[in-house]
Amino acid sequence: MLERFYPTQYSDSVYEVDFEGLYGRGFRGIIFDIDNTLVPHGMPADERALALFKRLKKTGYSVTVLSNNKEPRVKMFCDAVDAPYIFKAGKPNPKNYRKACLAMGTDADSTLFVGDQIFTDIWGANRAGLYSVLVKPIHPKEEIQIVLKRYPEKLVLFFYKRACKRRSRNV
């Protein structure tokens, strides 16, 4: 039952994901969440985010930002990193994940999603059939509704990590 919330991959940081290796495996599009995935909540694009988007585009990726936030916040970030975006995305509804793929000219098999929340980001990506990458939140300061979701997320992560250990022992 909890498996539907499991990410395909789990990483400490978006800045530690081997995007070049994933490109070598055939991925061509990346959909990103912003807040606490790329930068702390509400912050503008920083040097690391700018460098990451530049590197990804140079590698050959198409990128799109998918956020449940309002347009002014999303536009500010995306203007800085020169990326298209979908705001008020309604995650975990898979509709806008698919819309992002269509806009990038990719499909579910060639697109990955990176985000920090299980019940919106990852579940939506999984529902859309995408390769999902869960990253640890960058900063502990979050809105109360997100803080409250972090408790059941810890339970899902416990079982996810246990399943990963079992798989590695059986290989």
Side-chain angles (χ1 to χ4, degrees):
M1 179 176 152
L2 291 178
E3 291 84 5
R4 68 179 142 186
F5 301 114
Y6 292 177
T8 313
Q9 179 180 330
Y10 183 53
S11 183
D12 283 342
S13 168
V14 66
Y15 301 104
E16 294 178 9
V17 175
D18 180 10
F19 291 111
E20 287 75 14
L22 291 165
Y23 190 87
R25 291 173 45 193
F27 290 98
R28 295 298 179 263
I30 306 174
I31 304 170
F32 286 101
D33 173 54
I34 302 173
D35 289 320
N36 254 346
T37 298
L38 292 160
V39 293
H41 187 80
M43 298 301 290
D46 59 17
E47 291 302 318
R48 288 191 317 167
L50 294 168
L52 176 65
F53 275 75
K54 185 176 179 181
R55 186 180 103 218
L56 294 173
K57 290 173 190 175
K58 185 177 179 186
T59 300
Y61 277 111
S62 293
V63 295
T64 298
V65 169
L66 187 67
S67 176
N68 282 348
N69 223 315
K70 294 176 185 163
E71 188 171 22
R73 192 295 176 255
V74 180
K75 183 177 181 351
M76 171 188 66
F77 182 91
C78 291
D79 283 352
V81 297
D82 189 28
Y85 60 88
I86 298 170
F87 65 97
K88 286 183 145 181
K91 297 181 284 184
N93 185 328
K95 180 181 84 168
N96 281 319
Y97 292 80
R98 293 183 186 117
K99 183 178 175 183
C101 290
L102 189 64
M104 292 187 294
T106 60
D107 60 18
D109 293 331
S110 63
T111 306
L112 55 113
F113 178 88
V114 184
D116 70 298
Q117 292 187 54
I118 290 174
F119 299 120
T120 52
D121 297 330
I122 300 306
W123 190 28
N126 291 348
R127 291 173 71 197
L130 306 179
Y131 185 101
S132 57
V133 180
L134 177 67
V135 295
K136 290 181 181 175
I138 290 176
H139 195 275
K141 183 179 181 285
E142 297 179 299
E143 296 174 342
I144 189 65
Q145 70 271 19
I146 296 170
V147 170
L148 295 174
K149 285 191 270 183
R150 294 295 184 195
Y151 293 104
E153 280 187 355
K154 287 178 185 180
L155 183 66
V156 172
L157 277 173
F158 170 81
F159 287 107
Y160 166 75
K161 289 175 183 178
R162 192 165 89 177
C164 288
K165 283 181 187 176
R166 278 194 201 131
R167 275 195 299 265
S168 67
R169 281 196 302 255
N170 293 332
V171 174

